[in-house]
mmCIF file of all heavy atoms in Angstrom:
data_model
loop_
_atom_site.group_PDB
_atom_site.id
_atom_site.type_symbol
_atom_site.label_atom_id
_atom_site.label_comp_id
_atom_site.label_asym_id
_atom_site.label_seq_id
_atom_site.Cartn_x
_atom_site.Cartn_y
_atom_site.Cartn_z
ATOM 1 N N ILE A 150 42.407 27.959 111.857
ATOM 2 C CA ILE A 150 43.093 28.410 113.072
ATOM 3 C C ILE A 150 42.233 28.108 114.299
ATOM 4 O O ILE A 150 42.753 27.719 115.357
ATOM 5 C CB ILE A 150 43.463 29.900 112.947
ATOM 6 C CG1 ILE A 150 44.500 30.040 111.820
ATOM 7 C CG2 ILE A 150 44.057 30.427 114.242
ATOM 8 C CD1 ILE A 150 44.787 31.464 111.431
ATOM 9 N N ALA A 151 40.923 28.252 114.181
ATOM 10 C CA ALA A 151 40.035 27.876 115.291
ATOM 11 C C ALA A 151 40.160 26.380 115.575
ATOM 12 O O ALA A 151 40.222 25.955 116.739
ATOM 13 C CB ALA A 151 38.587 28.242 114.953
ATOM 14 N N ASP A 152 40.196 25.587 114.528
ATOM 15 C CA ASP A 152 40.331 24.130 114.670
ATOM 16 C C ASP A 152 41.643 23.770 115.378
ATOM 17 O O ASP A 152 41.651 22.997 116.350
ATOM 18 C CB ASP A 152 40.277 23.517 113.256
ATOM 19 C CG ASP A 152 40.572 22.029 113.228
ATOM 20 O OD1 ASP A 152 39.848 21.265 113.899
ATOM 21 O OD2 ASP A 152 41.530 21.623 112.540
ATOM 22 N N LEU A 153 42.749 24.359 114.929
ATOM 23 C CA LEU A 153 44.044 24.066 115.552
ATOM 24 C C LEU A 153 44.120 24.633 116.967
ATOM 25 O O LEU A 153 44.773 24.054 117.838
ATOM 26 C CB LEU A 153 45.185 24.632 114.694
ATOM 27 C CG LEU A 153 45.371 23.982 113.323
ATOM 28 C CD1 LEU A 153 46.363 24.795 112.489
ATOM 29 C CD2 LEU A 153 45.851 22.542 113.441
ATOM 30 N N SER A 154 43.448 25.756 117.199
ATOM 31 C CA SER A 154 43.427 26.329 118.552
ATOM 32 C C SER A 154 42.722 25.388 119.519
ATOM 33 O O SER A 154 43.204 25.140 120.632
ATOM 34 C CB SER A 154 42.688 27.672 118.562
ATOM 35 O OG SER A 154 43.433 28.639 117.879
ATOM 36 N N LEU A 155 41.561 24.881 119.103
ATOM 37 C CA LEU A 155 40.809 24.000 120.005
ATOM 38 C C LEU A 155 41.616 22.737 120.292
ATOM 39 O O LEU A 155 41.723 22.313 121.448
ATOM 40 C CB LEU A 155 39.450 23.637 119.399
ATOM 41 C CG LEU A 155 38.405 24.748 119.485
ATOM 42 C CD1 LEU A 155 37.169 24.372 118.687
ATOM 43 C CD2 LEU A 155 38.019 25.030 120.945
ATOM 44 N N GLU A 156 42.162 22.144 119.229
ATOM 45 C CA GLU A 156 42.875 20.887 119.441
ATOM 46 C C GLU A 156 44.196 21.099 120.184
ATOM 47 O O GLU A 156 44.479 20.409 121.162
ATOM 48 C CB GLU A 156 43.152 20.214 118.094
ATOM 49 C CG GLU A 156 43.941 18.913 118.281
ATOM 50 C CD GLU A 156 44.098 18.119 117.008
ATOM 51 O OE1 GLU A 156 43.479 18.490 115.989
ATOM 52 O OE2 GLU A 156 44.850 17.122 117.028
ATOM 53 N N PHE A 157 44.967 22.043 119.699
ATOM 54 C CA PHE A 157 46.335 22.186 120.179
ATOM 55 C C PHE A 157 46.464 23.189 121.336
ATOM 56 O O PHE A 157 46.901 22.852 122.423
ATOM 57 C CB PHE A 157 47.234 22.581 118.998
ATOM 58 C CG PHE A 157 48.573 23.101 119.397
ATOM 59 C CD1 PHE A 157 49.501 22.255 120.009
ATOM 60 C CD2 PHE A 157 48.910 24.428 119.188
ATOM 61 C CE1 PHE A 157 50.742 22.741 120.397
ATOM 62 C CE2 PHE A 157 50.147 24.906 119.572
ATOM 63 C CZ PHE A 157 51.057 24.065 120.185
ATOM 64 N N VAL A 158 46.083 24.467 121.096
ATOM 65 C CA VAL A 158 46.342 25.501 122.112
ATOM 66 C C VAL A 158 45.563 25.207 123.391
ATOM 67 O O VAL A 158 46.125 25.224 124.493
ATOM 68 C CB VAL A 158 45.986 26.916 121.596
ATOM 69 C CG1 VAL A 158 46.365 27.964 122.640
ATOM 70 C CG2 VAL A 158 46.664 27.205 120.267
ATOM 71 N N PHE A 159 44.258 24.909 123.226
ATOM 72 C CA PHE A 159 43.444 24.707 124.428
ATOM 73 C C PHE A 159 43.469 23.251 124.893
ATOM 74 O O PHE A 159 43.541 22.986 126.088
ATOM 75 C CB PHE A 159 42.036 25.272 124.217
ATOM 76 C CG PHE A 159 42.107 26.744 123.999
ATOM 77 C CD1 PHE A 159 42.050 27.296 122.719
ATOM 78 C CD2 PHE A 159 42.354 27.604 125.062
ATOM 79 C CE1 PHE A 159 42.211 28.660 122.512
ATOM 80 C CE2 PHE A 159 42.510 28.967 124.866
ATOM 81 C CZ PHE A 159 42.435 29.499 123.583
ATOM 82 N N GLY A 160 43.458 22.301 123.953
ATOM 83 C CA GLY A 160 43.454 20.886 124.349
ATOM 84 C C GLY A 160 44.808 20.397 124.823
ATOM 85 O O GLY A 160 44.907 19.699 125.847
ATOM 86 N N LYS A 161 45.863 20.740 124.107
ATOM 87 C CA LYS A 161 47.167 20.157 124.404
ATOM 88 C C LYS A 161 48.069 21.053 125.264
ATOM 89 O O LYS A 161 49.010 20.559 125.872
ATOM 90 C CB LYS A 161 47.916 19.821 123.094
ATOM 91 C CG LYS A 161 47.259 18.727 122.277
ATOM 92 C CD LYS A 161 47.327 17.375 122.945
ATOM 93 C CE LYS A 161 46.469 16.317 122.269
ATOM 94 N NZ LYS A 161 47.026 15.778 121.035
ATOM 95 N N VAL A 162 47.874 22.352 125.266
ATOM 96 C CA VAL A 162 48.754 23.212 126.061
ATOM 97 C C VAL A 162 48.041 23.680 127.337
ATOM 98 O O VAL A 162 48.466 23.356 128.448
ATOM 99 C CB VAL A 162 49.309 24.389 125.229
ATOM 100 C CG1 VAL A 162 50.149 25.324 126.096
ATOM 101 C CG2 VAL A 162 50.142 23.851 124.064
ATOM 102 N N TRP A 163 46.942 24.430 127.185
ATOM 103 C CA TRP A 163 46.206 24.875 128.381
ATOM 104 C C TRP A 163 45.689 23.685 129.199
ATOM 105 O O TRP A 163 45.480 23.803 130.403
ATOM 106 C CB TRP A 163 45.026 25.767 127.983
ATOM 107 C CG TRP A 163 45.408 27.202 127.763
ATOM 108 C CD1 TRP A 163 45.753 27.787 126.588
ATOM 109 C CD2 TRP A 163 45.488 28.237 128.754
ATOM 110 N NE1 TRP A 163 46.040 29.119 126.781
ATOM 111 C CE2 TRP A 163 45.875 29.424 128.096
ATOM 112 C CE3 TRP A 163 45.261 28.281 130.135
ATOM 113 C CZ2 TRP A 163 46.054 30.637 128.770
ATOM 114 C CZ3 TRP A 163 45.425 29.490 130.812
ATOM 115 C CH2 TRP A 163 45.824 30.645 130.134
ATOM 116 N N GLY A 164 45.476 22.550 128.561
ATOM 117 C CA GLY A 164 44.967 21.377 129.278
ATOM 118 C C GLY A 164 46.029 20.615 130.071
ATOM 119 O O GLY A 164 45.697 19.655 130.775
ATOM 120 N N ARG A 165 47.275 21.011 129.986
ATOM 121 C CA ARG A 165 48.337 20.296 130.692
ATOM 122 C C ARG A 165 48.306 20.584 132.196
ATOM 123 O O ARG A 165 47.840 21.631 132.629
ATOM 124 C CB ARG A 165 49.710 20.751 130.164
ATOM 125 C CG ARG A 165 49.979 20.336 128.732
ATOM 126 C CD ARG A 165 51.305 20.875 128.229
ATOM 127 N NE ARG A 165 52.410 20.410 129.039
ATOM 128 C CZ ARG A 165 52.974 19.211 128.920
ATOM 129 N NH1 ARG A 165 52.544 18.376 127.991
ATOM 130 N NH2 ARG A 165 53.961 18.847 129.718
ATOM 131 N N GLY A 166 48.867 19.685 132.974
ATOM 132 C CA GLY A 166 49.094 19.919 134.396
ATOM 133 C C GLY A 166 50.428 20.614 134.613
ATOM 134 O O GLY A 166 51.075 21.059 133.668
ATOM 135 N N GLY A 167 50.848 20.733 135.853
ATOM 136 C CA GLY A 167 52.190 21.213 136.170
ATOM 137 C C GLY A 167 52.272 22.699 136.470
ATOM 138 O O GLY A 167 53.222 23.160 137.104
ATOM 139 N N LEU A 168 51.326 23.453 135.967
ATOM 140 C CA LEU A 168 51.162 24.878 136.329
ATOM 141 C C LEU A 168 49.661 25.084 136.473
ATOM 142 O O LEU A 168 48.889 24.555 135.660
ATOM 143 C CB LEU A 168 51.602 25.814 135.202
ATOM 144 C CG LEU A 168 53.026 26.297 135.045
ATOM 145 C CD1 LEU A 168 53.077 27.370 133.953
ATOM 146 C CD2 LEU A 168 53.643 26.846 136.322
ATOM 147 N N ASP A 169 49.236 25.869 137.445
ATOM 148 C CA ASP A 169 47.790 26.119 137.516
ATOM 149 C C ASP A 169 47.397 27.209 136.517
ATOM 150 O O ASP A 169 48.254 27.833 135.884
ATOM 151 C CB ASP A 169 47.349 26.427 138.946
ATOM 152 C CG ASP A 169 47.901 27.727 139.493
ATOM 153 O OD1 ASP A 169 48.102 28.681 138.715
ATOM 154 O OD2 ASP A 169 48.128 27.796 140.711
ATOM 155 N N ARG A 170 46.113 27.412 136.373
ATOM 156 C CA ARG A 170 45.624 28.339 135.338
ATOM 157 C C ARG A 170 46.044 29.779 135.600
ATOM 158 O O ARG A 170 46.296 30.536 134.662
ATOM 159 C CB ARG A 170 44.084 28.265 135.243
ATOM 160 C CG ARG A 170 43.607 26.892 134.798
ATOM 161 C CD ARG A 170 42.995 26.926 133.431
ATOM 162 N NE ARG A 170 42.803 25.553 132.974
ATOM 163 C CZ ARG A 170 41.611 24.954 132.881
ATOM 164 N NH1 ARG A 170 40.498 25.614 133.156
ATOM 165 N NH2 ARG A 170 41.538 23.712 132.456
ATOM 166 N N LYS A 171 46.092 30.177 136.879
ATOM 167 C CA LYS A 171 46.545 31.539 137.171
ATOM 168 C C LYS A 171 47.993 31.710 136.703
ATOM 169 O O LYS A 171 48.351 32.738 136.126
ATOM 170 C CB LYS A 171 46.461 31.823 138.678
ATOM 171 C CG LYS A 171 45.040 31.965 139.185
ATOM 172 C CD LYS A 171 44.978 32.702 140.513
ATOM 173 C CE LYS A 171 45.376 31.809 141.663
ATOM 174 N NZ LYS A 171 45.109 32.488 142.970
ATOM 175 N N GLN A 172 48.800 30.688 136.932
ATOM 176 C CA GLN A 172 50.208 30.776 136.499
ATOM 177 C C GLN A 172 50.311 30.814 134.973
ATOM 178 O O GLN A 172 51.099 31.576 134.411
ATOM 179 C CB GLN A 172 50.992 29.575 137.053
ATOM 180 C CG GLN A 172 51.179 29.624 138.571
ATOM 181 C CD GLN A 172 51.856 28.380 139.101
ATOM 182 O OE1 GLN A 172 51.429 27.255 138.809
ATOM 183 N NE2 GLN A 172 52.907 28.558 139.889
ATOM 184 N N ARG A 173 49.509 29.987 134.298
ATOM 185 C CA ARG A 173 49.533 30.028 132.819
ATOM 186 C C ARG A 173 49.104 31.409 132.308
ATOM 187 O O ARG A 173 49.649 31.913 131.320
ATOM 188 C CB ARG A 173 48.635 28.932 132.219
ATOM 189 C CG ARG A 173 49.205 27.544 132.399
ATOM 190 C CD ARG A 173 48.517 26.445 131.604
ATOM 191 N NE ARG A 173 49.089 25.169 132.012
ATOM 192 C CZ ARG A 173 50.211 24.644 131.491
ATOM 193 N NH1 ARG A 173 50.827 25.234 130.506
ATOM 194 N NH2 ARG A 173 50.699 23.504 131.965
ATOM 195 N N SER A 174 48.133 32.026 132.986
ATOM 196 C CA SER A 174 47.722 33.368 132.559
ATOM 197 C C SER A 174 48.845 34.381 132.742
ATOM 198 O O SER A 174 49.029 35.260 131.891
ATOM 199 C CB SER A 174 46.491 33.823 133.357
ATOM 200 O OG SER A 174 45.316 33.310 132.762
ATOM 201 N N LEU A 175 49.592 34.278 133.834
ATOM 202 C CA LEU A 175 50.675 35.251 134.050
ATOM 203 C C LEU A 175 51.719 35.157 132.940
ATOM 204 O O LEU A 175 52.187 36.175 132.425
ATOM 205 C CB LEU A 175 51.326 35.022 135.423
ATOM 206 C CG LEU A 175 50.438 35.397 136.617
ATOM 207 C CD1 LEU A 175 51.057 34.881 137.909
ATOM 208 C CD2 LEU A 175 50.214 36.916 136.704
ATOM 209 N N VAL A 176 52.090 33.930 132.570
ATOM 210 C CA VAL A 176 53.058 33.761 131.480
ATOM 211 C C VAL A 176 52.496 34.328 130.169
ATOM 212 O O VAL A 176 53.180 35.056 129.435
ATOM 213 C CB VAL A 176 53.403 32.265 131.280
ATOM 214 C CG1 VAL A 176 54.283 32.073 130.057
ATOM 215 C CG2 VAL A 176 54.077 31.695 132.527
ATOM 216 N N THR A 177 51.241 33.987 129.879
ATOM 217 C CA THR A 177 50.619 34.399 128.614
ATOM 218 C C THR A 177 50.492 35.917 128.527
ATOM 219 O O THR A 177 50.746 36.506 127.468
ATOM 220 C CB THR A 177 49.234 33.742 128.481
ATOM 221 O OG1 THR A 177 49.378 32.331 128.680
ATOM 222 C CG2 THR A 177 48.622 34.008 127.123
ATOM 223 N N ILE A 178 50.107 36.534 129.621
ATOM 224 C CA ILE A 178 49.988 38.000 129.643
ATOM 225 C C ILE A 178 51.368 38.623 129.402
ATOM 226 O O ILE A 178 51.496 39.584 128.636
ATOM 227 C CB ILE A 178 49.362 38.464 130.984
ATOM 228 C CG1 ILE A 178 47.866 38.105 130.989
ATOM 229 C CG2 ILE A 178 49.573 39.950 131.222
ATOM 230 C CD1 ILE A 178 47.191 38.239 132.359
ATOM 231 N N GLY A 179 52.404 38.073 130.019
ATOM 232 C CA GLY A 179 53.766 38.574 129.769
ATOM 233 C C GLY A 179 54.142 38.484 128.297
ATOM 234 O O GLY A 179 54.661 39.438 127.713
ATOM 235 N N VAL A 180 53.859 37.330 127.684
ATOM 236 C CA VAL A 180 54.176 37.151 126.262
ATOM 237 C C VAL A 180 53.427 38.164 125.397
ATOM 238 O O VAL A 180 54.019 38.808 124.517
ATOM 239 C CB VAL A 180 53.835 35.715 125.800
ATOM 240 C CG1 VAL A 180 53.900 35.597 124.281
ATOM 241 C CG2 VAL A 180 54.778 34.698 126.449
ATOM 242 N N LEU A 181 52.128 38.316 125.632
ATOM 243 C CA LEU A 181 51.317 39.160 124.740
ATOM 244 C C LEU A 181 51.649 40.641 124.889
ATOM 245 O O LEU A 181 51.569 41.398 123.918
ATOM 246 C CB LEU A 181 49.830 38.900 124.960
ATOM 247 C CG LEU A 181 49.386 37.494 124.544
ATOM 248 C CD1 LEU A 181 47.945 37.241 124.974
ATOM 249 C CD2 LEU A 181 49.514 37.283 123.038
ATOM 250 N N ILE A 182 52.025 41.064 126.104
ATOM 251 C CA ILE A 182 52.463 42.458 126.264
ATOM 252 C C ILE A 182 53.755 42.677 125.465
ATOM 253 O O ILE A 182 53.889 43.666 124.747
ATOM 254 C CB ILE A 182 52.656 42.803 127.756
ATOM 255 C CG1 ILE A 182 51.282 42.844 128.453
ATOM 256 C CG2 ILE A 182 53.395 44.137 127.928
ATOM 257 C CD1 ILE A 182 51.343 43.023 129.964
ATOM 258 N N ALA A 183 54.679 41.743 125.567
ATOM 259 C CA ALA A 183 55.952 41.887 124.849
ATOM 260 C C ALA A 183 55.769 41.824 123.341
ATOM 261 O O ALA A 183 56.496 42.486 122.592
ATOM 262 C CB ALA A 183 56.930 40.810 125.302
ATOM 263 N N LEU A 184 54.797 41.032 122.874
ATOM 264 C CA LEU A 184 54.559 40.914 121.425
ATOM 265 C C LEU A 184 53.740 42.075 120.869
ATOM 266 O O LEU A 184 53.560 42.176 119.671
ATOM 267 C CB LEU A 184 53.815 39.619 121.099
ATOM 268 C CG LEU A 184 54.568 38.321 121.289
ATOM 269 C CD1 LEU A 184 53.649 37.149 120.982
ATOM 270 C CD2 LEU A 184 55.802 38.256 120.381
ATOM 271 N N ARG A 185 53.216 42.926 121.716
ATOM 272 C CA ARG A 185 52.401 44.079 121.288
ATOM 273 C C ARG A 185 51.216 43.604 120.434
ATOM 274 O O ARG A 185 51.041 43.997 119.294
ATOM 275 C CB ARG A 185 53.291 45.065 120.482
ATOM 276 C CG ARG A 185 54.325 45.729 121.375
ATOM 277 C CD ARG A 185 55.639 46.041 120.686
ATOM 278 N NE ARG A 185 56.761 45.580 121.478
ATOM 279 C CZ ARG A 185 57.363 46.282 122.441
ATOM 280 N NH1 ARG A 185 56.999 47.484 122.701
ATOM 281 N NH2 ARG A 185 58.352 45.758 123.128
ATOM 282 N N GLN A 186 50.431 42.692 121.040
ATOM 283 C CA GLN A 186 49.220 42.174 120.371
ATOM 284 C C GLN A 186 48.012 42.599 121.198
ATOM 285 O O GLN A 186 47.460 41.809 121.969
ATOM 286 C CB GLN A 186 49.276 40.637 120.318
ATOM 287 C CG GLN A 186 50.411 40.045 119.548
ATOM 288 C CD GLN A 186 50.076 39.649 118.114
ATOM 289 O OE1 GLN A 186 50.908 39.137 117.399
ATOM 290 N NE2 GLN A 186 48.848 39.895 117.676
ATOM 291 N N PRO A 187 47.551 43.848 121.047
ATOM 292 C CA PRO A 187 46.554 44.371 121.998
ATOM 293 C C PRO A 187 45.212 43.643 121.979
ATOM 294 O O PRO A 187 44.606 43.476 123.041
ATOM 295 C CB PRO A 187 46.411 45.843 121.607
ATOM 296 C CG PRO A 187 47.006 45.975 120.255
ATOM 297 C CD PRO A 187 48.017 44.869 120.092
ATOM 298 N N ALA A 188 44.725 43.203 120.817
ATOM 299 C CA ALA A 188 43.412 42.562 120.792
ATOM 300 C C ALA A 188 43.472 41.234 121.546
ATOM 301 O O ALA A 188 42.618 40.940 122.395
ATOM 302 C CB ALA A 188 42.951 42.340 119.347
ATOM 303 N N GLU A 189 44.487 40.439 121.256
ATOM 304 C CA GLU A 189 44.620 39.156 121.949
ATOM 305 C C GLU A 189 44.930 39.368 123.430
ATOM 306 O O GLU A 189 44.499 38.578 124.273
ATOM 307 C CB GLU A 189 45.745 38.353 121.287
ATOM 308 C CG GLU A 189 45.742 36.897 121.642
ATOM 309 C CD GLU A 189 44.686 36.100 120.875
ATOM 310 O OE1 GLU A 189 43.980 36.680 120.026
ATOM 311 O OE2 GLU A 189 44.572 34.889 121.150
ATOM 312 N N LEU A 190 45.646 40.441 123.748
ATOM 313 C CA LEU A 190 45.923 40.734 125.159
ATOM 314 C C LEU A 190 44.634 40.988 125.922
ATOM 315 O O LEU A 190 44.465 40.490 127.038
ATOM 316 C CB LEU A 190 46.857 41.941 125.275
ATOM 317 C CG LEU A 190 47.136 42.424 126.701
ATOM 318 C CD1 LEU A 190 47.821 41.354 127.540
ATOM 319 C CD2 LEU A 190 47.990 43.689 126.675
ATOM 320 N N GLU A 191 43.716 41.757 125.347
ATOM 321 C CA GLU A 191 42.437 42.004 126.057
ATOM 322 C C GLU A 191 41.756 40.677 126.379
ATOM 323 O O GLU A 191 41.261 40.471 127.487
ATOM 324 C CB GLU A 191 41.510 42.900 125.226
ATOM 325 C CG GLU A 191 41.938 44.360 125.280
ATOM 326 C CD GLU A 191 40.810 45.330 124.881
ATOM 327 O OE1 GLU A 191 39.622 44.957 124.932
ATOM 328 O OE2 GLU A 191 41.143 46.476 124.517
#
Side-chain angles (χ1 to χ4, degrees):
Chain A
I150 294 171
D152 173 58
L153 294 170
S154 291
L155 283 172
E156 178 173 352
F157 165 67
V158 184
F159 297 99
K161 294 292 170 77
V162 176
W163 276 93
R165 292 177 59 80
L168 272 188
D169 66 32
R170 296 248 169 108
K171 289 200 282 189
Q172 291 175 309
R173 289 191 186 275
S174 276
L175 290 169
V176 174
T177 308
I178 287 168
V180 169
L181 294 172
I182 290 174
L184 291 177
R185 292 147 229 273
Q186 298 263 181
E189 196 78 2
L190 175 62
E191 283 199 21

